[in-house]
Amino acid sequence: MYEKLDLKNEETEIYLKLLTRFYSRIKECSDKSIKRQLIKRDLSVLVKLVERSDVSSIIKRNLLQLHINLTQQEIETDTPGLSTIMNDKDRSILINPTSAEYNSLIMKLKKYSSSFEQFKEEFIRTRDLYSEICLTTNDVDSAIHSKMITIGWMVVSGMDYEKILMSQANLASLLYMKAEGVEQHIYKLQKNTAMGDTSSVETIMKLQKRYQNILNNSEKYYESVLDKSKDSKIRFPAGGERDEILLQARLLSMHGLAVIKLHKGDTKEAKKILTDTKGLAEQYGFDDVQNACENELQTIQRINLSNVTS
């Protein structure tokens, strides 16, 4: 009722009371079937609160963390084998998406998909919202960490592969964003060094190495998305939502990969990828991507002209 009347304060108060009640009931419940129903309802209310409420980002983040942790604890209690894999940092499924180990762990995780089939959509949505909230508070590191874990849970839950690829593309974008932040820090220190402050020389060298590692990881994720979707036949819009998500994942990855190539000075490869991306975006009516590619192509043209005249 409050939702339809757009009474935000009253609506928020109801959501908070429901979340408190569900949290307690989930903790107390011993029936697995009933507990899964409660978790589904709890996460549904949580999504509504985060998407609709005007409460602060800090409160939203804390609530998301609290209820996500509870859900994960309940899943891992039911499936101890899954807990061992998910908590083994040395065998993270996301260290290198192109490695043989990655594919091996994917297969091991899939057998646990039935453990939370009933509420997997709500669970993944809350995890995505947590990453989004982290970004609104400029906490890119937490957004990256959360997104990596979310992809793992998507694999476990048996989520549609195009949604997993879209999340991997988003992870690559987050890593690129992180690389840009490190690069800005490097430029600032280099400016100080040029003015006579040599105390930061060692720090700059370490940051440059870190920058390259982050950028290379971003590149790997973009390439992984493109590699794993290269044989997929897109029938947009006839193919519906799944084909649209797959197309978006490919466009995001193609554009992102081209930007990284350009950043690394490979203007020839960047131009090729951007031209292909622009054509695909134009074919399916993705104007924003088309315009972004055009801007990057103009940048390459200016670089080439500059090289000719210098």
Side-chain angles (χ1 to χ4, degrees):
M1 181 180 72
Y2 292 130
E3 184 177 335
K4 291 180 179 179
L5 294 174
D6 201 29
L7 298 173
K8 290 291 183 69
N9 291 337
E10 291 82 357
E11 183 183 350
T12 299
E13 186 177 347
I14 293 296
Y15 288 153
L16 290 171
K17 287 180 178 178
L18 285 171
L19 288 173
T20 300
R21 187 178 304 170
F22 282 134
Y23 188 91
S24 298
R25 289 190 64 189
I26 292 168
K27 295 282 283 185
E28 296 168 356
C29 185
S30 58
D31 186 299
K32 287 185 180 181
S33 177
I34 294 176
K35 182 177 287 189
R36 287 172 181 171
Q37 293 176 29
L38 290 171
I39 292 174
K40 182 179 178 68
R41 294 174 66 186
D42 176 62
L43 296 178
S44 296
V45 172
L46 182 59
V47 169
K48 284 189 176 183
L49 172 68
V50 174
E51 291 182 337
R52 292 183 52 82
S53 174
D54 292 330
V55 298
S56 71
S57 295
I58 298 299
I59 292 176
K60 290 179 179 179
R61 178 170 174 166
N62 290 340
L63 284 169
L64 283 164
Q65 188 70 73
L66 180 67
H67 290 262
I68 286 171
N69 284 347
L70 175 63
T71 302
Q72 289 177 181
Q73 288 166 10
E74 294 298 333
I75 295 171
E76 291 176 356
T77 298
D78 287 344
T79 53
L82 171 62
S83 177
T84 301
I85 296 174
M86 293 296 287
N87 293 324
D88 188 345
K89 294 181 181 178
D90 293 330
R91 298 180 64 193
S92 169
I93 65 167
L94 299 167
I95 290 175
N96 183 0
T98 60
S99 71
E101 183 184 13
Y102 176 87
N103 292 323
S104 173
L105 284 173
I106 291 286
M107 296 307 297
K108 287 182 181 179
L109 288 170
K110 282 185 176 179
K111 68 179 182 180
Y112 297 106
S113 60
S114 62
S115 61
F116 57 108
E117 174 68 27
Q118 190 170 350
F119 53 84
K120 70 178 184 182
E121 295 287 346
E122 293 82 1
F123 178 50
I124 299 303
R125 180 58 187 146
T126 56
R127 290 209 55 93
D128 282 338
L129 285 171
Y130 183 80
S131 292
E132 292 173 19
I133 291 292
C134 289
L135 279 183
T136 64
T137 56
N138 297 317
D139 189 353
V140 180
D141 286 339
S142 292
I144 290 171
H145 179 69
S146 179
K147 181 62 71 174
M148 291 179 75
I149 296 173
T150 299
I151 294 171
W153 283 113
M154 291 177 79
V155 173
V156 176
S157 68
M159 193 70 74
D160 294 338
Y161 91 104
E162 65 273 2
K163 292 182 179 180
I164 296 175
L165 292 180
M166 189 68 205
S167 285
Q168 288 183 340
N170 286 329
L171 173 59
S173 298
L174 288 172
L175 287 165
Y176 181 76
M177 188 185 302
K178 177 64 179 178
E180 283 188 312
V182 175
E183 186 179 41
Q184 289 172 7
H185 191 194
I186 291 171
Y187 285 156
K188 183 178 179 180
L189 292 176
Q190 286 176 331
K191 185 177 179 181
N192 293 338
T193 302
M195 296 174 65
D197 180 6
T198 59
S199 61
S200 301
V201 173
E202 187 176 347
T203 301
I204 290 173
M205 292 176 64
K206 290 180 179 178
L207 285 173
Q208 286 174 332
K209 184 176 181 180
R210 186 184 182 201
Y211 165 75
Q212 287 299 330
N213 286 337
I214 297 171
L215 197 64
N216 288 339
N217 280 330
S218 176
E219 186 175 24
K220 282 181 182 178
Y221 280 110
Y222 282 138
E223 289 175 339
S224 175
V225 171
L226 295 175
D227 180 64
K228 292 179 183 299
S229 62
K230 65 183 178 183
D231 296 325
S232 301
K233 294 182 179 179
I234 298 174
R235 296 174 296 107
F236 177 80
E241 182 185 14
R242 294 187 62 173
D243 273 21
E244 181 177 4
I245 293 172
L246 183 59
L247 178 58
Q248 289 174 337
R250 285 193 61 82
L251 286 171
L252 175 58
S253 298
M254 290 171 72
H255 178 262
L257 183 60
V259 170
I260 291 176
K261 295 294 185 185
L262 179 58
H263 222 67
K264 289 185 172 183
D266 190 350
T267 54
K268 183 178 179 180
E269 183 65 16
K271 182 178 180 180
K272 179 181 181 301
I273 299 173
L274 285 167
T275 302
D276 291 343
T277 309
K278 181 184 175 184
L280 189 62
E282 186 176 4
Q283 178 183 350
Y284 290 108
F286 285 80
D287 295 338
D288 290 345
V289 179
Q290 185 180 343
N291 293 335
C293 290
E294 183 58 41
N295 290 336
E296 300 295 347
L297 286 168
Q298 289 176 9
T299 298
I300 292 174
Q301 187 176 20
R302 287 194 296 269
I303 292 172
N304 290 338
L305 286 173
S306 176
N307 290 336
V308 171
T309 57
S310 62

